[in-house]
Amino acid sequence: GEYIGVLTVREPNNKHYVYSNYGWDDDEIDQFEMSPDSGYVQKCGTPDAFLHLVDDLSPNAADANTYAEIQELLDIDEYVNYMAIEFFLGSTDWPRNNVKGFRHRNGGKFRLVLYDLDGAFETSDPFRSFFDKEWWEFDQLYPTSLGRIYDQIRLVTLFKNLLANDTFRKKFIDAYCIVLG
């Protein structure tokens, strides 16, 4: 009964996360992260599928056929759960940081990893905080003549565009209400 500290049991979120959980090697996946130093960083594979999802498909997410295509590239149920939890927790450094997504290159769907929530519960308005970060000026880890990096946070763009789809919006509202409960 004597207090001796806090035991934090958690899975490391490192470069071996996908292999440890799915058995997929780096040469089998497309994986990206968001870094406050660099913005979008492609860790494995190519950005082609993710850019196609966000830049080509998501602007037309309200269309049923396009939404079906989006569902082929994005695990919608897991994405909705991820977004609902992130909004509920209200981490102030997300989504410009602590975002990791991956998919198997052979027809896999993108999934996002929930991690590093040390900045959670720091905002009273997580939706405004999130949507205000669609374009962000990132600190550059290694300064160059270009200075700071100003870039789009495509996770914000993707979510904003998906909200135009009635099916997605209802699914997100339902998930968020469950999280709130």
Side-chain angles (χ1 to χ4, degrees):
E2 181 181 338
Y3 176 79
I4 57 172
V6 176
L7 178 62
T8 307
V9 180
R10 58 185 164 183
E11 177 180 21
N13 181 17
N14 56 27
K15 66 181 182 176
H16 306 294
Y17 175 84
V18 176
Y19 181 78
S20 297
N21 286 276
Y22 298 89
W24 303 337
D25 289 317
D26 288 353
D27 60 351
E28 297 177 275
I29 63 173
D30 292 327
Q31 180 177 324
F32 67 89
E33 293 182 8
M34 288 297 296
S35 160
D37 301 320
S38 312
Y40 180 93
V41 177
Q42 191 70 34
K43 299 301 251 183
C44 301
T46 69
D48 299 344
F50 185 70
L51 295 177
H52 176 62
L53 170 66
V54 177
D55 296 341
D56 300 335
L57 296 176
S58 78
N60 301 314
D63 176 69
N65 292 329
T66 303
Y67 186 66
E69 285 185 66
I70 289 170
Q71 289 178 297
E72 294 298 316
L73 282 175
L74 179 66
D75 187 329
I76 290 288
D77 292 331
E78 290 302 319
Y79 177 72
V80 163
N81 291 335
Y82 170 85
M83 296 301 287
I85 290 168
E86 285 283 9
F87 278 122
F88 174 74
L89 295 174
S91 186
T92 55
D93 63 348
W94 174 82
R96 72 185 196 296
N97 190 21
N98 302 328
V99 174
K100 177 186 282 190
F102 66 92
R103 76 174 194 121
H104 195 282
R105 270 192 230 144
N106 190 13
K109 298 179 180 186
F110 278 103
R111 303 186 110 200
L112 296 169
V113 180
L114 185 68
Y115 73 101
D116 196 0
L117 301 168
D118 58 338
F121 301 118
E122 288 191 18
T123 181
S124 60
D125 192 351
F127 289 95
R128 174 183 225 132
S129 176
F130 177 78
F131 287 112
D132 285 348
K133 294 177 184 167
E134 186 168 8
W135 288 90
W136 193 263
E137 188 172 357
F138 293 92
D139 296 327
Q140 196 166 10
L141 186 59
Y142 302 106
T144 66
S145 61
L146 298 175
R148 297 168 64 95
I149 301 167
Y150 186 71
D151 197 11
Q152 179 183 20
I153 299 179
R154 286 180 170 82
L155 186 66
V156 178
T157 305
L158 176 63
F159 185 73
K160 182 178 78 174
N161 290 340
L162 283 169
L163 286 176
N165 183 284
D166 293 336
T167 303
F168 176 84
R169 189 172 50 253
K170 182 181 179 329
K171 187 181 285 270
F172 174 75
I173 291 169
D174 290 347
Y176 194 69
C177 287
I178 289 170
V179 170
L180 287 174

